[in-house]
Amino acid sequence: MRARAYGEAGADRRGRRPARVVVGVSGSLASLAALRVAAQEARRGGATLVAVTAWSPPEGERAYLRRPDRDWLRHWQGEARARLDLAFDEVFGGTPTGVPSVERRVVRDRPGPALCAVACGPDDRVVVGAARAGRVRRYVLAHARVPVLTVPAPAVPRRVRRALRRATVADIVAGP
């Protein structure tokens, strides 16, 4: 599903769209925290919550264009949709309560450009998770034409981080 341009469905008689809170959802801890904060912002301001999951073919767009396959694209788009739905289930147990309107969008693009394309109205805001690498956050901060709110990932206790660093494949993969 491609992002709708400003002024399409949902606009009032004067061509103005209601305020929206656009949030990037990848399934990471930072994006789940951002989804929760975005819902609070939408609830508080009476805005529409627009959750965006961006995806592209795993082999990359150039490689895909050499050997296009619609079934392969439908598969990966379905995977992105499932990731977005799972995020809502993990954070809210379904649909958030008290939010006037919720849109779930799966966009074929890189995350930063997808968020900037969707958040294009004068009353829109973007919420992004502030992951450690922060590539998407940096892109959105540099290119968005709307206010941006960054949400840090929840802190992982030190003992859990240590245990994860010492984990081996045998600790993760289930045996027969």
Side-chain angles (χ1 to χ4, degrees):
M1 178 187 321
R2 292 302 247 175
R4 283 189 291 208
Y6 176 69
E8 290 182 11
D12 67 11
R13 284 186 224 146
R14 294 186 311 262
R16 291 201 50 150
R17 184 179 44 207
R20 299 180 314 157
V21 177
V22 179
V23 59
V25 180
S26 66
S28 68
L29 286 177
S31 77
L32 296 178
L35 179 59
R36 180 180 305 278
V37 169
Q40 291 168 350
E41 290 289 315
R43 191 178 298 120
R44 188 174 321 142
T48 298
L49 174 64
V50 182
V52 177
T53 293
W55 72 280
S56 59
E59 66 273 12
E61 292 291 344
R62 282 188 180 179
Y64 173 78
L65 290 175
R66 287 189 205 120
R67 300 192 72 165
D69 182 350
R70 289 183 190 266
D71 292 333
W72 186 241
L73 282 186
R74 275 193 291 276
H75 167 77
W76 288 109
Q77 185 175 14
E79 290 288 322
R81 168 72 57 196
R83 191 170 56 242
L84 181 58
D85 291 341
L86 179 63
F88 272 85
D89 289 342
E90 288 178 338
V91 174
F92 307 111
T95 303
T97 58
V99 176
S101 177
V102 177
E103 293 179 31
R104 298 180 192 194
R105 293 196 186 181
V106 176
V107 179
R108 183 176 169 186
D109 201 351
R110 289 173 295 135
L115 288 172
C116 290
V118 172
C120 58
D123 297 326
D124 291 351
R125 288 171 282 167
V126 177
V127 179
V128 292
R132 231 180 190 184
R135 210 172 324 150
V136 174
R137 176 181 48 87
R138 283 193 309 270
Y139 184 93
V140 171
L141 285 170
H143 295 91
R145 297 178 182 211
V146 299
V148 178
L149 173 64
T150 59
V151 178
V156 178
R158 184 175 287 159
R159 66 180 178 281
V160 173
R161 285 194 312 258
R162 274 191 229 130
L164 287 173
R165 279 194 292 263
R166 288 190 301 258
T168 65
V169 174
D171 296 330
I172 299 168
V173 176

